[in-house]
Amino acid sequence: MSESIIGIDLGTTNSEVAIVKDGRVTVIPVSEGVSILPSVVGIADDGSLLVGEAAKNQYVLRPERTVRSIKRHMGEFVPVKMGDKDYSPQEISAMILLRLKKIAEDYLQQPVSKAVITVPAYFSDAQRQATREAGEIAGLTVVRIINEPTAAALAYESGHIGAKKALIYDLGGGTFDVSVVNLEGDVVEVLASHGDNHLGGDDFDQKIVNHAVQHILKQHGVDVKGSATAMARLQRAAEAAKITLSDQPYALISEEYLIENNGLPLHLSLEISREEYQEMIMPFIDATLDATHIALAGAGLTVSDIDEILLVGGATRTPLVANRLEQTLGLQPRGELNPDLCVAMGAAIQAAIIQGAKTSSVLVDVTPYTFGTSAIAFLNGEEYPYCFVPLIRKNTPIPVSKSEVFFTTHDGQTKVDIDVYQGEDPDALNNIEIGRFLIEGLRKTSSGNPIVTTFAIDVDGILHVSSREKATGLEHSITINNVLTRFENDKLDEARARINTLFGEQDSVQDNASNQNKEELTALLEKADRLLKNAGPEDSADLVNAIEAVKDARDQPEQLLRQAIDDLADLLYYMET
Ligand code: AMP
């Protein structure tokens, strides 16, 4: 067996190592159930070398013996002090690479001496050379250095046919990069890149920390900024709250004994809504969108030239990121691959391509449909009671659970109807209702009573929908089976065809009729559509019925379909004469 080439994402905050084995991409665990190695090295009290989590943990207590974010210094000729010795940035990076090499060797039970390593697209020659040297110090021949957006594109799209333009939006903990790439087979060309070296999810945490600090000052008259321990605790709690807000409409920061105030312990209990949080981080997201437009301009392209938006980096799990990208670019971004791991996966795919192994993009279990509910909102500028509110978007990996808050609309309202839909249309009534239930017995209060609705899909394709009155915890729910398959061939296509026919786009009509029937059917439906526009009420009802009958017959034996087509043809003949 030839020696495996490993793929390494050598990140500013975290690093990962992956491999393609038997055509499948695997991110190698660095410890049980953990695939991410913090890019931190340090010297322990006993003089031993620490790499990863252990080094990260000692950073607060021993910053002078710990080094973080060395990637920011690659290519510089600066000594990096760690303990009582100076090191080059390459040597520090080599310590991380050596650990990853050992992890891969333990996993594969064989020596590893070759790697593909990723770097940001904007890295200069000197920075790339330094990365190569780091590999060599670690005993790795760097068979290729590839750009991070190239790796991400390979993870998503390797093996696809034809050419595509993709936007790779990479928002990590401390850096933001956006690249426009051209994909052709397994060849990825970066057309333009832009970004901000000091923007990322850590800034989002900071906003929450500041918010909590202000709250404590206002509520208790205490300035916690003076206490390093209290600030460290707030920092951790803020990141946890941020992560909760990616899936939930509210997060509670609860820290007992945060600080002492006039000899008494101060307990912090602060709830943050997703709405408040989104307002805090909006300027950051806007800055990333500005950078995106700059990258597009740099590539000489416009929004309409882009076929795919691919999400990379842990902070892209923030729903506002995908929402704002979709709003401004008119394309639903893809985020089905783990955004922390897809660069390492792409590096492994590149390694396999170099070895001539058969590879394809990474496959994950996703929901092929969008699920959501309806609410009063504005549709086409008018208030409308059945606006579709998607909770789980198609292509989301399963299992998944997402919650949203809704509010009662009138005073004294004690019940709310919850409709569950599958579809994409902003008008819920054009989607397929797959269930409904009533939450009743709500407390009598003024309008605006928050109701938290949760949609969860498990690995068996069971959708569990529940609604809870936030103030009381009163909850009702339903369970719908087989949501990932049940409407695949019948209702969904039918509904789509119905709508398309009425709007004059027959391309998506699918049937199992013979080609001859198919052609005839298309021509007839086109004609029916034309006549429907000028038909009187009675004729149009007949016509809609005849169209429906044809649609219903599509999956029936040929004979029945023939009959339905003939009936529709007769009706059209009658209407024309
Ligand atoms: P990366 O540098 O790509 O590993 O991304 C790390 C950043 O992603 C950190 O700021 C994390 O707090 C953030 N992050 C991780 N998970 C989530 C999540 N579910 N929602 C929002 N941010 C997240």
Side-chain angles (χ1 to χ4, degrees):
M1 195 174 77
S2 72
E3 187 196 315
S4 302
I5 305 177
I6 55 175
I8 292 178
D9 171 6
L10 184 61
T12 308
T13 328
N14 295 309
S15 297
E16 297 84 24
V17 56
I19 187 97
V20 174
K21 222 175 140 191
D22 305 325
R24 279 177 59 99
V25 182
T26 303
V27 180
I28 302 176
V30 298
S31 60
E32 186 139 346
V34 180
S35 315
I36 289 172
L37 183 79
S39 304
V40 187
V41 297
I43 304 291
D45 289 343
D46 65 3
S48 62
L49 179 69
L50 302 174
V51 181
E53 200 60 40
K56 186 179 170 186
N57 289 341
Q58 84 155 19
Y59 180 79
V60 180
L61 294 175
R62 306 264 183 256
E64 73 288 353
R65 283 209 241 129
T66 318
V67 178
R68 304 190 300 180
S69 305
I70 192 61
K71 189 170 173 179
R72 293 194 195 282
H73 300 291
M74 290 301 274
E76 294 173 9
F77 293 95
V78 287
V80 181
K81 209 167 184 51
M82 183 166 68
D84 49 17
K85 281 209 187 93
D86 282 345
Y87 299 87
S88 66
Q90 289 92 315
E91 284 173 301
I92 302 286
S93 281
M95 295 171 195
I96 300 167
L97 290 172
L98 190 58
R99 173 54 54 89
L100 293 171
K101 174 179 183 283
K102 288 226 156 35
I103 287 166
E105 286 173 338
D106 286 349
Y107 178 83
L108 293 167
Q109 294 289 304
Q110 66 177 68
V112 169
S113 67
K114 293 180 189 154
V116 169
I117 302 181
T118 60
V119 296
Y122 61 78
F123 253 29
S124 65
D125 276 349
Q127 290 167 305
R128 286 166 199 262
Q129 186 52 32
T131 305
R132 205 177 273 282
E133 284 162 13
E136 271 153 30
I137 297 168
L140 286 169
T141 304
V142 182
V143 291
R144 198 164 304 170
I145 297 265
I146 64 167
N147 292 318
E148 287 159 11
T150 299
L154 285 176
Y156 268 102
E157 290 285 348
S158 173
H160 84 281
I161 313 283
K164 262 188 190 178
K165 302 254 182 317
L167 194 96
I168 320 284
Y169 178 104
D170 181 350
L171 188 63
T175 56
F176 169 67
D177 297 301
V178 57
S179 304
V180 181
V181 305
N182 187 43
L183 287 153
E184 215 152 355
D186 283 335
V187 180
V188 185
E189 182 193 0
V190 179
L191 302 176
S193 266
H194 199 69
D196 184 336
N197 244 333
H198 293 277
L199 171 64
D202 301 349
D203 296 302
F204 300 0
D205 302 347
Q206 209 46 51
K207 281 280 175 190
I208 298 179
V209 170
N210 294 347
H211 177 74
V213 168
Q214 288 307 317
H215 168 85
I216 297 164
L217 192 61
K218 229 162 97 192
Q219 204 78 8
H220 307 278
V222 184
D223 186 357
V224 285
K225 286 212 290 290
S227 160
T229 343
M231 286 303 281
R233 281 177 63 188
L234 276 186
Q235 193 77 45
R236 240 194 333 264
E239 185 180 13
K242 170 186 80 173
I243 289 172
T244 300
L245 289 169
S246 285
D247 299 326
Q248 305 281 334
Y250 299 97
L252 183 67
I253 298 185
S254 174
E255 293 288 317
E256 303 245 309
Y257 304 100
L258 181 66
I259 197 169
E260 212 164 85
N261 179 24
N262 294 331
L264 289 173
L266 188 156
H267 305 307
L268 172 67
S269 177
L270 172 64
E271 188 181 70
I272 300 179
S273 71
R274 188 189 282 161
E275 211 174 341
E276 283 174 282
Y277 167 64
Q278 294 193 153
E279 223 164 87
M280 296 178 204
I281 61 166
M282 192 65 93
F284 296 127
I285 309 281
D286 285 345
T288 67
L289 295 175
D290 291 344
T292 301
H293 286 293
I294 293 172
L296 274 172
L301 298 177
T302 62
V303 169
S304 59
D305 296 316
I306 297 298
D307 301 302
E308 304 262 18
I309 304 172
L310 309 179
L311 299 180
V312 183
T316 59
R317 292 196 183 93
T318 313
L320 188 64
V321 167
N323 293 347
R324 294 282 290 128
L325 277 168
E326 187 170 357
Q327 264 171 18
T328 42
L329 305 184
L331 204 62
Q332 191 189 333
R334 291 178 61 187
E336 69 263 28
L337 297 189
N338 184 327
D340 296 313
L341 307 181
C342 67
V343 169
M345 291 173 173
I349 290 175
Q350 179 69 71
I353 292 169
I354 290 168
Q355 284 180 302
K358 207 168 157 335
T359 61
S360 64
S361 52
V362 183
L363 296 175
V364 286
D365 270 345
V366 296
T367 157
Y369 309 122
T370 297
F371 298 96
T373 186
S374 63
I376 298 184
F378 284 87
L379 186 64
N380 303 327
E382 284 183 26
E383 200 170 68
Y384 180 64
Y386 303 106
C387 288
F388 183 53
V389 183
L391 271 92
I392 297 178
R393 304 294 301 263
K394 75 172 177 197
N395 292 329
T396 305
I398 51 169
V400 58
S401 172
K402 297 273 179 194
S403 302
E404 279 286 348
V405 64
F406 298 88
F407 300 94
T408 54
T409 50
H410 47 269
D411 295 346
Q413 186 174 342
T414 56
K415 50 187 176 183
V416 181
D417 246 325
I418 312 290
D419 283 316
V420 182
Y421 294 99
Q422 172 195 314
E424 297 289 331
D425 200 290
D427 179 349
L429 300 184
N430 286 338
N431 294 324
I432 296 162
E433 188 186 283
I434 56 170
R436 63 158 52 192
F437 65 100
L438 194 64
I439 171 162
E440 52 188 338
L442 304 174
R443 73 202 165 115
K444 283 207 166 117
T445 181
S446 40
S447 66
N449 182 14
I451 312 290
V452 176
T453 293
T454 302
F455 276 49
I457 303 179
D458 68 16
V459 285
D460 299 318
I462 296 168
L463 172 65
H464 188 81
V465 181
S466 61
S467 284
R468 181 171 47 85
E469 183 178 36
K470 182 164 179 281
T472 62
L474 172 84
E475 188 171 302
H476 287 259
S477 64
I478 53 166
T479 294
I480 305 164
N481 291 321
N482 298 329
V483 290
L484 304 183
T485 51
R486 61 189 288 168
F487 295 111
E488 213 155 20
N489 300 321
D490 42 23
K491 282 193 178 168
L492 194 64
D493 280 346
E494 206 177 281
R496 208 176 272 140
R498 186 169 61 236
I499 292 159
N500 286 345
T501 309
L502 293 175
F503 285 86
E505 290 174 30
Q506 281 88 27
D507 321 6
S508 64
V509 174
Q510 291 171 7
D511 59 39
N512 64 359
S514 68
N515 277 343
Q516 194 194 348
N517 276 349
K518 230 188 220 167
E519 273 174 32
E520 190 176 350
L521 188 64
T522 310
L524 273 180
L525 288 173
E526 273 172 8
K527 195 165 188 181
D529 183 40
R530 273 200 307 277
L531 290 184
L532 196 57
K533 288 194 183 108
N534 298 318
E538 219 167 279
D539 281 350
S540 88
D542 287 345
L543 195 50
V544 169
N545 285 341
I547 292 171
E548 291 294 298
V550 168
K551 301 281 170 53
D552 287 341
R554 281 177 315 157
D555 295 324
Q556 306 288 330
E558 193 102 319
Q559 220 181 327
L560 291 179
L561 177 62
R562 190 68 252 163
Q563 181 65 51
I565 290 176
D566 288 345
D567 288 348
L568 177 61
D570 285 348
L571 181 62
L572 293 179
Y573 177 78
Y574 154 77
M575 284 175 69
E576 271 186 324
T577 51

